[in-house]
Amino acid sequence: MINFQYARASDAADALRLIAGDPRAKFIAGGTNLIDLMKMDVERPSTVIDITRLPLKHIEGTPGGGLRIGALVRNTDLAYHPLVEERYPVLASAVMAGASQQLRNMASTGGNLLQRTRCHYFYDTATPCNKREPGSGCSAIKGHNRMHAILGASDACIATHPSDMCVALALLEAKVHVTGPPGDRVIAFADFHRLPEDTPQSDTNLGAGEMITEVELPPRGFATNYTYLKIRDRLSYAFALVSVAVGLELDGDTIKDGRFALGGVAHKPWRDQQAEAVLRGQPANAVTFARAADVLLRGARGYEHNTFKIDLARRCIVRALSQAARGTPQSQSSKKIA
């Protein structure tokens, strides 16, 4: 473990002041990702700024019928909150599919959004990694890449985003409230995370010294026809090979509107509005679902060890859409696929 200084922020203004004075400082809340990165010598902050005393632990309704979730709300508290279970059950399901109970008891909402990839080459400081050291190369492209991206990758990086929660937030079209030196601003969730392109070291569009304060959910939560399907190598404490969050609005057997987002396949939670447009006005059946899956995966590219994920993603999309249409909320698999 490296040497570092510790500071505790008393309020948001104090937190911003502390990080502005030290460009190598990092905020810490639950620490479930940052501490691992520090132990592996991937992150080397000069100072960790404890923000756990900030008043950001609220879950409350908005005047328009949505929900505001403070950045310091623990994952377990979020998943079991009555308003989340009732109005946004796909989010509760996604949170409960992630990590272990012990980690969910510590991990925060804001920290979940800022998780870094679990690519083993990123964690191995003896190997080249453009995310860790820009310009050094991507070891995963010609290495063991079974867990890696099939969508939105670049020649610089094929890592995937690890969060389950974020897949549901992408589906729900959440908004991320942040504060920083320029003041407060709101970022649409679709614009929060970045694709790697030629700057894979930048995971998000947060500015220097900015801090997440809360996540806002719109009124529409797809509380009836939804599902979160996660396929992984074992039932607990494993990251997704492919995950799918689905929300449908049905009129009998016809899809009035539908959304679906994928995890485990790209550098950010993956949605495709052209694929979702295929669903609207169509019968809720396997033919429609397969057509939507084909549109979403039209640009998919596999590497030596992960080509199987293209077909796996197609089957997962059809299965998850079918479950949501039937009102079957959640299914998970621990069976090893490949």
Side-chain angles (χ1 to χ4, degrees), residues 2 22 84 166 218 232 249 286 291 323:
I2 64 170
D22 187 350
V84 175
C166 288
R232 47 188 164 174
E249 184 179 341
R291 190 160 55 242
Q323 289 176 191

Side-chain angles (χ1 to χ4, degrees), residues 262-282:
L262 273 65
V265 299
H267 199 256
K268 60 184 290 186
W270 192 266
R271 277 185 66 196
D272 186 325
Q273 293 188 357
Q274 292 185 43
E276 293 173 352
V278 170
L279 299 173
R280 289 193 285 271
Q282 299 301 308

Side-chain angles (χ1 to χ4, degrees), residues 127-202:
T127 62
C129 172
N130 287 321
K131 288 184 73 64
R132 194 180 62 247
E133 186 180 347
S136 63
C138 176
S139 298
I141 289 177
K142 293 186 178 180
H144 185 67
N145 45 43
R146 179 174 178 270
M147 297 293 292
H148 288 70
I150 57 173
L151 290 164
S154 73
D155 291 340
C157 182
I158 60 171
T160 58
H161 191 268
S163 172
D164 290 286
M165 177 193 292
C166 288
V167 182
L169 292 176
L171 171 81
L172 294 169
E173 297 184 346
K175 296 178 181 179
V176 184
H177 292 247
V178 306
T179 189
D184 299 340
R185 67 184 179 116
V186 180
I187 308 172
F189 199 82
D191 299 326
F192 184 77
H193 296 102
R194 297 166 55 99
L195 292 178
E197 298 178 339
D198 59 355
T199 55
Q201 70 274 16
S202 299

Side-chain angles (χ1 to χ4, degrees), residues 44-234:
R44 299 178 61 87
S46 55
T47 305
V48 292
I49 302 169
D50 185 344
I51 59 172
T52 56
R53 291 193 176 182
L54 273 58
L56 301 175
K57 299 178 182 178
H58 56 278
I59 301 177
E60 57 192 24
T62 66
L67 203 65
R68 290 182 183 270
I69 302 164
L72 294 180
V73 173
R74 303 295 184 187
N75 286 184
T76 298
D77 294 335
L78 177 64
Y80 287 115
H81 194 278
L83 289 177
V84 175
E85 289 184 315
E86 177 186 354
R87 292 158 52 182
Y88 306 95
V90 68
L91 176 57
S93 296
V95 172
M96 292 303 292
S100 65
Q101 185 64 59
Q102 293 91 336
L103 288 173
R104 292 194 296 268
N105 288 344
M106 288 297 297
S108 66
T109 297
N112 202 295
L113 272 62
L114 296 174
Q115 284 188 79
R116 306 213 69 189
T117 184
R118 264 50 177 198
C119 172
H120 37 270
Y121 296 108
F122 174 66
Y123 273 78
D124 182 358
T125 57
T127 62
C129 172
N130 287 321
K131 288 184 73 64
R132 194 180 62 247
E133 186 180 347
S136 63
C138 176
S139 298
I141 289 177
K142 293 186 178 180
H144 185 67
N145 45 43
R146 179 174 178 270
M147 297 293 292
H148 288 70
I150 57 173
L151 290 164
S154 73
D155 291 340
C157 182
I158 60 171
T160 58
H161 191 268
S163 172
D164 290 286
M165 177 193 292
C166 288
V167 182
L169 292 176
L171 171 81
L172 294 169
E173 297 184 346
K175 296 178 181 179
V176 184
H177 292 247
V178 306
T179 189
D184 299 340
R185 67 184 179 116
V186 180
I187 308 172
F189 199 82
D191 299 326
F192 184 77
H193 296 102
R194 297 166 55 99
L195 292 178
E197 298 178 339
D198 59 355
T199 55
Q201 70 274 16
S202 299
D203 292 336
T204 75
N205 284 312
L206 274 180
E210 285 191 315
M211 177 178 66
I212 299 171
T213 55
E214 63 183 13
V215 173
E216 181 181 352
L217 302 182
R220 192 179 189 190
F222 296 103
T224 302
N225 294 97
Y226 71 92
T227 199
Y228 185 73
L229 172 65
K230 180 178 182 178
I231 303 299
R232 47 188 164 174
D233 287 333
R234 58 183 185 271

